[in-house]
Amino acid sequence: MDITEIALARVTDEFIAYIRRPQELGKEWALDEASEFLVLAATLLDLKAARLLPAGEVENDDDIALLEARDLLFARLLQYKAFKEIAAIMGGWLDREADRFPRLVGLEPQFASLLPELLWRHSPEKFAALARKALAPREAAPTEVGLSHLHAPTVSVLEQAQIMRAMLAAGTALSFRVLIADAETTMVVVARFLALLEMFRDAAVTFEQASPLGELQVRWTGVSRDWRSNNLSAEYAGVLSEMSVPEEAIQ
Amino acid sequence: MIEQQNSRDPGDGADMPGTDVHDLPGGAGAALEAILMVTDEPVSESQLAAAVGLGVEEVGGLLLGLQRHYDGYTGRGDGTGVGVSGSVAGKPVVDSPEFAAGQTRVTPRGFELRRVACGWRIYSRSDFAHIVSRFVLDGQSARLTQAALETLAVIAYRQPVSRARVSAIRGVNVDSVVRTLAQRGLIEETGTDAESGALLYRTTHYFLERLGIASADELPQLAPHLPGLENLQDFDDSSY
Amino acid sequence: MIEQQNSRDPGDGADMPGTDVHDLPGGAGAALEAILMVTDEPVSESQLAAAVGLGVEEVGGLLLGLQRHYDGYTGRGDGTGVGVSGSVAGKPVVDSPEFAAGQTRVTPRGFELRRVACGWRIYSRSDFAHIVSRFVLDGQSARLTQAALETLAVIAYRQPVSRARVSAIRGVNVDSVVRTLAQRGLIEETGTDAESGALLYRTTHYFLERLGIASADELPQLAPHLPGLENLQDFDDSSY
């Protein structure tokens, strides 16, 4: 592609249409993309000028890096444009095909009667269970990057707070070592430690440490008998909500 | 009559001003073929005549011509409106003698045009029944696939229902599965949707028999077990 | 296959090997036609070959012969294996004189045989669309929107692909469009991305059918629409 053959006005039109679409769909105006376009337009002018004038030069490495970044954006724009053209071609094919009707007829009776008798082993209840499954609203599959492939299982701070509260309910002080004795992973230890900090802030527990780096003794104060894990600060719970199980599941 | 003329030269069409069906490649006979090739139910001569804009008698003659042509005869025959196929020379059978005065044997097709009670329909030729049977049975299973079962369940609990709606609920195209279920006699068509005009489907008596219940009312209730049933309204046909 | 054969008894026992399909009226070509009359999906050459007891290559040649015959050419073409995409040839020119040495034009039929989605299928000829469409109640789906077409194009060329990547290319959220395309059977889920765990999508056989092409290889080349950006792949994948 010769850069000098690109009509900037056309690219501009297309880009404006491109960034307007989210807007038309009621989404936020893509300000960052709009500003990217200004950079792109400047770059295009830059490139055109450089190509048209033999003396035109790229000045320094920073400029080159910038140009590369703009190239990327430009390449994406061109790619989108290519798909748009292809879509138009495919649309034409679909229209052309709509004029042809396939032979779509039922099997003639003498052949239909040859089909093997259906094996049917569904009771009405089993069939209803099938219907329930088929009719249940399906969760929209997540658009975000999934976490399920991460091998570390997710650990809920809320859940760990509940567990420790139960352990401390008797009123005797327990060392942190004891509190994490059944922790299977480091993540659980971390979650319990974070939970303790939260509970401490709410004055639900007290800490005693006889000497620096000594055993940490944790005691349920009893002051906040009705302390619940949902006392955990909202922003904290919010941040971790992705990793948490619903509270009802714990109680 | 005019039937011989209109079939002679499809490109010409000058003999029948006002009708364009003769101008199409293959002419009026081909137009009838086009309809017959894609219709499942037999089509009456009057329906065909209305569709191609010709008289019923003329269409009757054209149909007889097609029938003879598929059966391997060509030529004018006894002169009653069979001219359509005259210009359509199939691969001649080399070792076949002349059939009769003015008629030639051509290769019969693998299909035949039959006149049944209420109209005309194209069937596979019975000589090939054993081959067709072999084909039909190849790969057939005595079991319904999971997709077919789930589609059947949706139809059973939402009947009468259009394919588009079942597709929306299941999230996949169900056309082919619905054909299988209909072929197996588990569902049947039951009129069209007043708004969209789409075909509606319901389950059959055979389905109830297989399930061991007397009527669709005896299907176990779903509602208590189905949280958010009202959300199903979201799966409407809006995307169609 | 074995268990299906014993589950029925056609009675004629004619499916035993040894029946030479060439001896039947119309020969092997007619046998193929007979099968094509009862299928509701494109049939592969190997399925047809198994049913008629011939080699896949021979069947391929016969199918091309039938195709040409329906399109109005007679005589031998230039042998088998030519013009696989001859199915896209569309309507023949009626006024054309002799087609080539040894070939004659005859009247095209009202139907055509086409190779779509890796199989063969009979269609009504598009010239008669306005006539045939009155008889096809439920066959045609609504046109795709521009957004759906663009999304479909991206998926077709980048498959298997996640919604996030399609979104990145199109610059908008494509979730609902992808859902519609899946409901229409044009795309389907095909596992998850090993790294991100995102659902991946690909186009279906039905997509090829709707486009009237035999395989995704027949899609237009993307390169000519991307002038001079030979190294686009570098950008392409790194940025998502």
Side-chain angles (χ1 to χ4, degrees), chain C residues 2-210:
Chain C
I2 301 141
E3 79 268 16
Q4 282 121 21
Q5 287 189 345
N6 55 35
S7 63
R8 49 105 204 187
D9 183 13
D12 58 14
D15 63 334
M16 60 184 169
T19 312
D20 190 352
V21 72
H22 296 289
D23 296 338
L24 291 166
L32 295 176
E33 285 180 326
I35 294 170
L36 290 166
M37 285 303 117
V38 302
T39 60
D40 53 15
E41 283 173 331
V43 201
S44 71
E45 284 170 21
S46 56
Q47 280 176 287
L48 289 167
V52 298
L54 297 175
V56 173
E57 281 209 9
E58 187 177 354
V59 165
L62 287 165
L63 289 164
L64 282 174
L66 288 175
Q67 179 181 59
R68 294 176 53 75
H69 181 65
Y70 300 157
D71 285 350
Y73 305 101
T74 189
R76 287 198 158 270
D78 33 2
T80 54
V82 198
V84 171
S85 56
S87 54
V88 199
K91 55 178 177 183
V93 186
V94 177
D95 295 330
S96 119
E98 296 288 290
F99 179 68
Q103 300 198 353
T104 342
R105 285 306 313 266
V106 294
T107 315
R109 313 304 316 177
F111 49 89
E112 49 189 339
L113 176 61
R114 303 173 64 229
R115 185 160 186 259
V116 291
C118 306
W120 293 80
R121 190 174 196 181
I122 298 266
Y123 286 81
S124 67
R125 195 169 290 283
S126 58
D127 305 88
F128 304 104
H130 60 290
I131 297 173
V132 175
S133 59
R134 297 180 226 181
F135 290 86
V136 183
L137 272 183
D138 207 24
Q140 293 305 295
S141 24
R143 293 183 54 151
L144 292 175
T145 61
Q146 181 65 22
L149 273 175
E150 287 177 16
T151 303
L152 194 54
V154 174
I155 294 173
Y157 285 84
R158 290 284 179 263
Q159 58 185 313
V161 65
S162 68
R163 277 178 305 180
R165 236 190 112 196
V166 181
S167 284
I169 292 173
R170 291 206 48 237
V172 290
N173 182 297
V174 296
D175 288 4
S176 80
V177 176
V178 163
R179 200 159 54 232
T180 304
L181 291 172
Q183 279 171 23
R184 295 236 194 147
L186 294 165
I187 60 169
E188 63 192 357
E189 293 171 5
T190 173
T192 54
D193 185 73
E195 266 179 50
S196 68
L199 270 177
L200 298 176
Y201 294 86
R202 66 174 171 209
T203 54
T204 59
H205 270 63
Y206 178 68
F207 162 78
L208 299 174
E209 242 179 79
R210 285 293 306 276

Side-chain angles (χ1 to χ4, degrees), chain A residues 22-250:
Chain A
Q23 202 186 356
E24 283 161 8
L25 296 171
K27 307 244 171 72
E28 280 183 25
W29 208 73
L31 188 60
D32 51 344
E33 295 200 49
S35 53
E36 275 183 75
F37 170 69
L38 292 179
V39 180
L40 170 74
T43 310
L44 265 181
L45 282 175
D46 220 13
L47 288 170
K48 280 166 87 84
R51 197 61 71 84
L52 291 170
L53 303 171
E57 276 178 14
V58 178
E59 282 171 16
N60 58 35
D61 288 352
D62 283 353
D63 279 358
I64 289 175
L66 197 59
L67 281 180
E68 279 170 1
R70 295 169 195 175
D71 280 350
L72 180 73
L73 186 68
F74 189 51
R76 273 216 227 170
L77 177 62
L78 284 182
Q79 177 185 241
Y80 172 65
K81 189 166 159 285
F83 279 121
K84 243 178 106 150
E85 288 174 17
I86 296 277
I89 294 173
M90 280 173 40
W93 288 12
L94 287 168
D95 285 349
R96 186 189 68 191
E97 284 306 302
D99 281 346
R100 296 183 164 106
F101 300 89
R103 181 167 170 93
L104 243 185
V105 305
L107 212 49
E108 295 163 27
Q110 76 268 27
F111 298 123
S113 66
L114 292 178
L115 294 173
E117 176 81 352
L118 271 184
L119 290 175
W120 184 275
R121 50 186 60 169
H122 282 78
S123 64
E125 288 71 30
K126 266 186 164 176
F127 189 72
L130 207 65
R132 216 165 280 140
K133 178 174 162 243
L135 286 167
R138 273 159 301 118
E139 300 265 323
T143 321
E144 300 86 38
V145 173
L147 296 171
S148 54
H149 62 290
L150 296 175
H151 293 300
T154 55
V155 178
S156 158
V157 173
L158 300 174
E159 189 183 7
Q160 297 308 320
Q162 289 288 327
I163 292 169
M164 287 189 297
R165 188 194 161 190
M167 291 164 84
L168 293 164
T172 48
L174 297 173
S175 69
F176 187 64
R177 190 182 305 280
V178 171
L179 284 174
I180 60 167
D182 62 334
E184 284 169 3
T185 65
T186 317
M187 277 299 285
V188 173
V189 176
V190 172
R192 288 198 183 171
F193 182 71
L194 289 172
L196 280 178
L197 291 179
E198 287 292 310
M199 293 158 86
F200 181 73
R201 195 192 57 182
D202 292 346
V205 294
T206 59
F207 294 144
E208 292 161 29
Q209 195 169 28
S211 60
L213 301 177
E215 258 332 311
L216 181 71
Q217 295 291 328
V218 182
R219 183 188 299 273
W220 186 259
T221 60
V223 176
S224 316
R225 263 287 167 221
D226 55 348
W227 184 90
R228 297 167 62 84
S229 54
N230 54 8
N231 285 27
L232 289 179
S233 54
E235 73 272 27
Y236 198 90
V239 168
L240 288 177
S241 62
E242 287 286 287
M243 301 173 68
S244 308
V245 293
E247 198 150 315
E248 308 84 79
I250 305 161

Side-chain angles (χ1 to χ4, degrees), chain B residues 10-11 20-21 23-27 29-35 37-39 43 47-48 50-52 66 69-70 84-85 87-92 107-111 122-125 127-142 163-164 167-176 179-180 183 192 197-199 201 235-236 239-240, chain C residues 1 3-5 7-8 10 12-17 19 21 24-35 37-41 43-44 47-48 50-53 62 66 69-70 74-75 91-92 94-95 105-111 121-125 127-128 130-132 134-139 141-142 179-180 182-188 206:
Chain B
D20 63 348
V21 72
D23 297 334
L24 294 169
L32 295 175
E33 280 183 327
I35 297 168
M37 262 304 164
V38 299
T39 48
V43 195
Q47 279 176 294
L48 290 168
V52 298
L66 287 175
H69 180 66
Y70 298 160
V84 59
S85 47
S87 58
V88 189
K91 246 190 320 185
T107 316
R109 312 306 322 176
F111 45 87
I122 289 179
Y123 295 90
S124 66
R125 185 172 294 282
D127 302 281
F128 300 100
H130 61 288
I131 290 173
V132 175
S133 303
R134 185 157 57 194
F135 173 79
V136 167
L137 285 167
D138 185 31
Q140 277 297 332
S141 164
R163 281 189 311 213
S167 279
I169 292 172
R170 299 217 52 239
V172 293
N173 180 294
V174 296
D175 289 2
S176 132
R179 281 201 300 277
T180 304
Q183 203 168 75
T192 55
L199 276 176
Y201 292 85
F235 292 121
D236 61 7
S239 47
Y240 283 80
Chain C
M1 281 194 358
E3 79 268 16
Q4 282 121 21
Q5 287 189 345
S7 63
R8 49 105 204 187
D12 58 14
D15 63 334
M16 60 184 169
T19 312
V21 72
L24 291 166
L32 295 176
E33 285 180 326
I35 294 170
M37 285 303 117
V38 302
T39 60
D40 53 15
E41 283 173 331
V43 201
S44 71
Q47 280 176 287
L48 289 167
V52 298
L62 287 165
L66 288 175
H69 181 65
Y70 300 157
T74 189
K91 55 178 177 183
V94 177
D95 295 330
R105 285 306 313 266
V106 294
T107 315
R109 313 304 316 177
F111 49 89
R121 190 174 196 181
I122 298 266
Y123 286 81
S124 67
R125 195 169 290 283
D127 305 88
F128 304 104
H130 60 290
I131 297 173
V132 175
R134 297 180 226 181
F135 290 86
V136 183
L137 272 183
D138 207 24
S141 24
R179 200 159 54 232
T180 304
Q183 279 171 23
R184 295 236 194 147
L186 294 165
I187 60 169
E188 63 192 357
Y206 178 68

